[in-house]
DNA sequence: TATACTTTGTTTATCGGAAAAACAAATTGA
DNA sequence: TCAATTTGTTTTTCCGATAAACAAAGTATA
């Protein structure tokens, strides 16, 4: 049981100080004291510790406001680095970020074969390349985070990833042994949600749902600035809720799942039967091209996808009453065609109390949310080790 | 911002001590120390304060385990009382409970007219009757909690209660002025969920969803032993998620809402067209009677309601990955007819990872969950005032 | 029956950390 | 030049948890 003692108090306050600096740097000790409510002396002491630990540095003096000039502090985001990877179904996107989540290096590789024998060596290569390119720093690379398109348990085991055709894969152990670094494995949508929460469109919301619209639909639920994982860590499979009780059979066992009507798969499937696209190679980018050229079959198709997105979102919103919905992953490219049908459906189907304070946003990072969120998981694990929490 | 200081430490530890006593009374100071990890001296001090505040009392000595006999402590649940009310669509159920949630007095009255002019005086009467019957105690009645069938905002305002035909009602203010006691207003399903979490079937789960199957379907979401309310306090309207995108129009604006297929309304509506029940007054109790007598039209109807309950539950489970689902309110009386169809549908539609550790339970209190949960809200608010938290 | 050992609960001493107060340093403005 | 102000450190005080010592009350055993 977690009891209260001085250590806990210090951890709480040290976190407050560090977070204040991160959020408002450059900032003086005096200002931190005013913002946080902590005593000046307390702030001074904690700042000194953080400086010894290399997490905070003095940058010089600021402007006087009628007295002694303040010494400005900033968060030393270059004290260490993290690696974040989005293991997609047909690509690997890997980034090296600093402690603030800024991308320093980036590697993107296509994935033609998803068998573990192929993917694992590729992953190791990619990680090694990024490690080799890291700048010198106090703590070096502090961890590796990976977002995967499937459900994972609390120990980082991949239970089931249908689109990769994986079952029961212990990627975490494999990589930890190889690199001697802590590895975090999480579902791709959960990682994306976290990425948006820490660095992206969800920075100012405490309660939102991130909808990853890719090959399928995954979701990440942020409650009180924390990722909700559920009892076994597999909450958020809202792509598989029924929106048509007697609809098409889904691979998951259910019928009429949302993602059968509103996802990249659904889009490509439906595009196949458009007369104007017969005998052509169909891809997302190609459809976008067609729409931009004014193809009068593709545009209504996009609208229909948007309407079904709205129907699913109605469920999400009735369930969570979020401040915000963030739509990410590949279909966020369709933003311009989706946004109106979505709003139209929501206006029709939602009670006004749910709709009035709600904002529907598209991902700031497009496809990078997942890799950034994964890197952020590693950064947090590192800080937690150091008796500080950031988020 | 909530900073860490000694006061916080004390509050945390005092809560731990009180909760340990509540959970394991009778218990000695030494045992509390072992269970909680707090030092003996710390426990002694905090227990003394709790005794001064009348929340804890010594009951005598226990058995020796080879040394000095322990002094046994218990939670003085009679130090105060709370009033909890379930404002149903056609009844008012009010209870007077002790601080542990044990029912001391109970009043149930039918409600023929839901206009505020009728309901408000009745409510006041019922509360006054319970107040008059309260035993003598240190703190008296500490608060009033009310569960209502509608959505409420964070200030206890009833925004919209379609079945009562209420909009924008400030019940809280009205009653607080009348009784000079703190009043908590909450949605009926949220209160029920809380009741089950504190005292009922959900006592041993940290993550569960309570499904209130009454005239409609409401839900209460418990995450980490806490009620999730959403951004505006109106999360959990899962009775209104679409399970048939092009289905019947619902009063909420949406189409194909779950509660149109699996609720008391849906049941009664469908029962009307059964040949064997023509020209008869149809009610829930009457249908149960028929089913018990082996009516071969009613039993399949119950099964169908169960199947649709299962379809909705699939969505709930894919979303939350809960440890437990608790089904309460009036349709919990149909437990014996619903449970098999529900399990059958879940087995078919859920991935095994969601199903394997999940338990589907029916409410321990039947219809009383809401009143008990409402009373519990008041008790907690009272303790929070006293620098202690219980839950 | 005496004595050694255990367990319980209180008292005392110590320690860590926050806050308040005092102070030193740096700057502005009159 | 000096008063007023702001910043940041040092000193003192206070609070609460913990550890250690102790007192009280029991059991077990020779």
């Amino acid at each position: 049981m977690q009891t209260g003692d001085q250590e806990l108090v210090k951890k709480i306050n040290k976190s407050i100080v560090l977070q204040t600096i991160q959020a408002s740097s450059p900032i003086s000790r005096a200002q931190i004291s005013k913002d946080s409510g902590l005593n000046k002396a307390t702030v001074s002491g904690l700042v000194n510790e953080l400086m010894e630990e290399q997490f905070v540095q003095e940058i010089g003096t600021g402007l006087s406001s009628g007295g002694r000039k303040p010494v400005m502090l900033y968060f030393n985001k270059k004290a260490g680095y993290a690696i974040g990877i989005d293991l997609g179904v047909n690509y690997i996107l890997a980034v090296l970020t600093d402690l603030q989540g800024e991308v320093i290096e980036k590697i993107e590789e296509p994935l033609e074969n998803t068998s573990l024998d192929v993917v694992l060596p590729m992953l190791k290569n990619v990680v090694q390349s990024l490690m080799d390119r890291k700048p010198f720093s106090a703590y070096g690379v502090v961890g590796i985070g990976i977002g995967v398109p499937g459900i994972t348990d609390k120990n980082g085991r991949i239970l089931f990833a249908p689109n990769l055709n994986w079952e029961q894969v212990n990627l975490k152990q494999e990589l930890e042994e190889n690199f001697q670094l802590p590895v975090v494995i999480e579902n791709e949508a959960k990682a994306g949600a976290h990425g948006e929460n820490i660095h992206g469109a969800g920075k100012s919301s405490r309660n939102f749902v991130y909808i990853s619209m890719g090959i399928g639909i995954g979701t990440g639920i942020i409650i009180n600035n924390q990722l909700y994982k559920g009892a076994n860590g597999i909450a958020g499979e809202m792509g598989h809720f029924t929106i048509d009780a007697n609809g098409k059979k889904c691979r998951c066992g259910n019928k009429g799942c949302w993602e059968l009507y509103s996802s990249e798969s659904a889009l490509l499937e439906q595009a196949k039967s458009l007369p104007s696209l017969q005998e052509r190679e169909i891809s997302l980018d190609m459809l976008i091209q067609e729409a931009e050229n004014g193809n009068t079959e593709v545009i209504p198709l996009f609208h229909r996808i948007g309407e079904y997105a709205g129907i699913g979102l109605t469920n999400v919103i009735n369930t969570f009453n979020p401040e915000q919905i963030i739509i990410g992953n590949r279909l966020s490219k369709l933003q311009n065609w989706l946004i109106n049908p979505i709003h139209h459906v929501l206006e029709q189907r939602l009670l006004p109390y749910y709709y009035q304070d709600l904002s529907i946003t598209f991902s700031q990072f497009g496809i990078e949310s997942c890799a950034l969120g994964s890197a952020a998981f590693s950064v947090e694990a590192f800080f937690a080790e150091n008796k500080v929490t950031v988020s």
Side-chain angles (χ1 to χ4, degrees), chain A:
Chain A
M1 200 178 295
Q2 169 67 324
T3 62
D5 56 14
Q6 314 253 66
E7 197 184 316
L8 176 70
V9 168
K10 187 164 183 180
K11 184 177 156 183
I12 291 172
N13 291 340
K14 200 164 167 182
S15 301
I16 290 176
V17 170
L18 185 56
Q19 281 173 47
T20 308
I21 295 174
Q22 274 196 76
S24 317
S25 94
I27 187 172
S28 68
R29 292 169 175 81
Q31 192 60 44
I32 296 172
S33 168
K34 281 174 202 153
D35 287 2
S36 64
L38 290 167
N39 187 280
K40 284 194 299 175
T42 307
V43 171
S44 253
L46 294 173
V47 163
N48 286 343
E49 280 186 29
L50 287 167
M51 284 175 56
E52 270 171 33
E53 291 161 348
Q54 310 275 338
F55 294 131
V56 167
Q57 290 180 341
E58 293 183 339
I59 198 178
T61 53
L63 295 177
S64 161
S65 61
R68 173 173 163 182
K69 285 183 186 165
V71 178
M72 305 311 273
L73 305 166
Y74 71 99
F75 174 60
N76 179 18
K77 59 188 182 185
K78 307 295 181 197
Y81 295 88
I83 290 174
I85 300 178
D86 175 8
L87 176 50
V89 177
N90 34 37
Y91 62 90
I92 289 180
L93 172 63
V95 296
L96 179 76
T97 75
D98 62 28
L99 296 179
Q100 192 101 276
E102 216 156 274
V103 176
I104 308 296
E105 298 281 349
K106 182 165 142 186
I107 298 178
E108 197 167 355
E109 296 207 359
L111 203 62
E112 260 116 42
N113 180 331
T114 67
S115 89
L116 191 59
D117 302 340
V118 175
V119 174
L120 189 57
M122 273 186 69
L123 276 177
K124 286 180 183 171
N125 261 335
V126 166
V127 171
Q128 191 58 56
S129 308
L130 289 176
M131 300 267 276
D132 294 343
R133 296 191 217 165
K134 69 170 191 285
F136 174 80
S137 65
Y139 293 96
V141 170
V142 301
I144 302 167
I146 306 183
V148 297
I151 62 181
T152 65
D153 71 8
K154 288 182 168 172
N155 307 316
R157 211 180 166 71
I158 301 168
L159 296 175
F160 181 50
N163 289 319
L164 295 174
N165 211 5
W166 287 9
E167 237 170 300
Q168 304 290 340
V169 174
N170 201 336
L171 202 55
K172 176 183 162 84
Q173 195 186 342
E174 189 73 42
L175 291 174
E176 279 186 344
E177 280 170 9
N178 198 87
F179 292 103
Q180 299 294 316
L181 279 176
V183 172
V184 181
I185 308 284
E186 189 51 270
N187 165 269
E188 158 269 327
K190 290 197 180 71
H194 190 240
E196 295 291 342
N197 190 28
I198 301 293
H199 305 301
K203 234 180 348 191
S204 50
S205 300
R206 294 182 66 83
N207 295 287
F208 70 87
V209 180
Y210 172 82
I211 316 285
S212 165
M213 295 184 75
I215 306 270
I217 294 182
T219 60
I221 302 158
I222 303 290
I223 291 177
N224 252 322
N225 271 336
Q226 281 208 306
L227 186 65
Y228 174 67
K229 299 189 183 185
N232 306 314
I234 57 179
E237 281 300 329
M238 286 192 267
H240 292 284
F241 61 29
T242 307
I243 61 168
D244 183 359
N246 301 305
K248 308 179 210 170
K249 184 95 185 157
C250 178
R251 201 168 30 184
C252 76
N254 201 352
K255 285 183 197 166
C257 292
W258 183 21
E259 71 173 38
L260 299 178
Y261 302 86
S262 192
S263 65
E264 189 175 348
S265 293
L267 175 65
L268 298 180
E269 183 65 31
Q270 291 175 40
K272 272 191 206 158
S273 56
L274 295 181
S276 65
L277 302 179
Q278 293 308 310
E279 319 257 318
R280 293 182 54 189
E281 180 93 5
I282 292 175
S283 72
L284 183 60
D285 289 327
M286 171 270 211
L287 289 173
I288 291 173
Q289 196 57 52
E290 286 293 318
E292 279 172 350
N293 293 341
N295 182 319
T296 55
E297 287 174 359
V298 172
I299 293 174
L301 176 58
F302 283 1
H303 288 169
R304 193 154 69 247
I305 296 287
E307 279 161 23
Y308 273 101
I311 291 173
L313 287 178
T314 308
N315 290 357
V316 172
I317 295 162
N318 273 321
T319 303
F320 287 102
N321 174 218
E323 298 163 41
Q324 192 182 14
I325 295 282
I326 301 175
I327 298 172
N329 210 338
R330 292 169 57 89
L331 289 206
S332 64
K333 292 184 186 173
L334 304 187
Q335 169 164 11
N336 292 333
W337 295 280
L338 297 182
I339 187 71
N340 284 332
I342 287 175
H343 273 292
H344 186 241
V345 169
L346 293 184
E347 271 173 51
Q348 276 195 322
R349 294 193 174 227
L350 279 178
L351 284 176
Y353 313 102
Y354 289 88
Y355 188 66
Q356 58 200 5
D357 297 330
L358 175 73
S359 70
I360 309 282
T361 324
F362 285 75
S363 167
Q364 263 183 22
F365 307 122
I367 205 166
E368 281 183 25
S369 320
C370 171
L372 288 172
S374 301
F377 282 132
S378 293
V379 172
E380 276 148 51
F382 166 69
F383 276 117
E385 283 287 304
N386 282 272
K387 312 258 180 226
V388 190
T389 47
V390 282
S391 73

